[in-house]
Amino acid sequence: MTEAPPQPPRTRRKRRPRAGRRTAWLLTAPAVVVMLAVGAYPVGYAIWLSLQRYDLRFPSQRGFVGLGNYAAVLGARVFWTDLGATAVITAIAVTAELVLGFAIALTLRRGLAGRRAVHAALLLPYGIITVVAAFAWQYAATPDLSFLSGRAWLGERWSSFAVVIATEVWKTTPLAALLLLAGLAAVPEELMDTAKMDGATAWQRFRRVMLPGIRPVLLVVLLYRTLDSVRVFDTVFIQTNGANGTETVSLLAYDQLAGRLNLGLGSAVSVLLFLLSAAIALGFVWVFRADLRELYRPRPVEPDEPDPEDVW
């Protein structure tokens, strides 16, 4: 009978002294209270309002209706139409911002004369208030005020979408470009030169070397811009006010809360928009974790030197 190998002694995790834990709780308590006051309380109050029949025009009819407001919102055609408009603006605007931002980042990475001045000039559109940018593009799309075109771009549905999306892309593409430029700085030039010497084409260097190097930054930019575009409100409110089928979910919530004074239905729309944003954020975090797990996974060491022609 063979004896079992001796087990290594278990190391018990040292517990922090009670006085230290109390000090830690006291130090973090103000931040926790502020976070609950500015974050958890408004969300909880909106959820409570969404379960009520609460119309300020008819205060005597107030009462608990449970999920009745959610059923009314999800059964209304206008909600799905507005959700489709939000999806159109988000998909086209975020895609255009990433493509244009990446092109600008690659151009800046090659080195230009007066790089600091170029960076400052790029950030000017992002520094302009969204309302001001929306009014500027609205004037440019109005026949009597525009110096570019005599066409009434805000008079039709898809041309209205084009103006709204162009405003979003013009304002936020510079920020995406600078974030992607910071990600490109983490890709070593020596690695790109080695790949070029091994015979890799420009597309292969982009796909096999550059894109994996900036993938975490790219996901962060994609997450930030997607969440921001899903909640788009200012540009649509200024330029079309929801006309021509351009109303978004945020504008629908505003119309129910401030226009129709229906706090129950408006809060239900707001909670659904919050759940949509949370679902997008959790999905991106899941994708990001899988990407990190793949990047940090140990790879076996090849015994022989690989053939450069087989690498690409």
Side-chain angles (χ1 to χ4, degrees), residues 101-153:
F102 203 85
I104 295 173
L106 286 176
T107 304
L108 294 177
R109 186 172 185 265
R110 294 179 178 274
L112 297 174
R115 176 179 295 185
R116 293 183 180 180
V118 173
H119 291 181
L122 274 177
L123 278 177
L124 283 179
Y126 189 73
I128 296 176
I129 301 174
T130 305
V131 174
V132 177
F135 272 120
W137 278 86
Q138 183 192 36
Y139 295 153
T142 304
D144 296 336
L145 303 175
S146 175
F147 58 92
L148 298 175
S149 172
R151 178 181 175 182
W153 288 85

Side-chain angles (χ1 to χ4, degrees), residues 163-187:
V163 176
V164 171
I165 292 171
T167 306
E168 292 289 314
V169 172
W170 176 80
K171 188 176 187 311
T172 53
T173 294
L175 179 65
L178 291 182
L179 292 176
L180 291 174
L181 180 62
L184 288 175
V187 180

Side-chain angles (χ1 to χ4, degrees), residues 63-103:
F64 182 78
V65 294
L67 299 178
N69 288 328
Y70 292 98
V73 171
L74 295 176
R77 185 177 179 181
V78 64
F79 174 77
W80 298 105
T81 302
D82 294 353
L83 186 61
T86 305
V88 168
I89 295 174
T90 301
I92 299 178
V94 173
T95 303
E97 289 164 11
L98 287 180
V99 172
L100 293 176
F102 203 85

Side-chain angles (χ1 to χ4, degrees), residues 190-201 205 308-309 312:
E190 295 80 6
L191 194 58
M192 297 291 294
D193 295 338
T194 303
K196 188 175 182 180
M197 293 177 62
D198 288 341
T201 62
R205 295 197 301 272
E309 295 182 356
W312 311 107

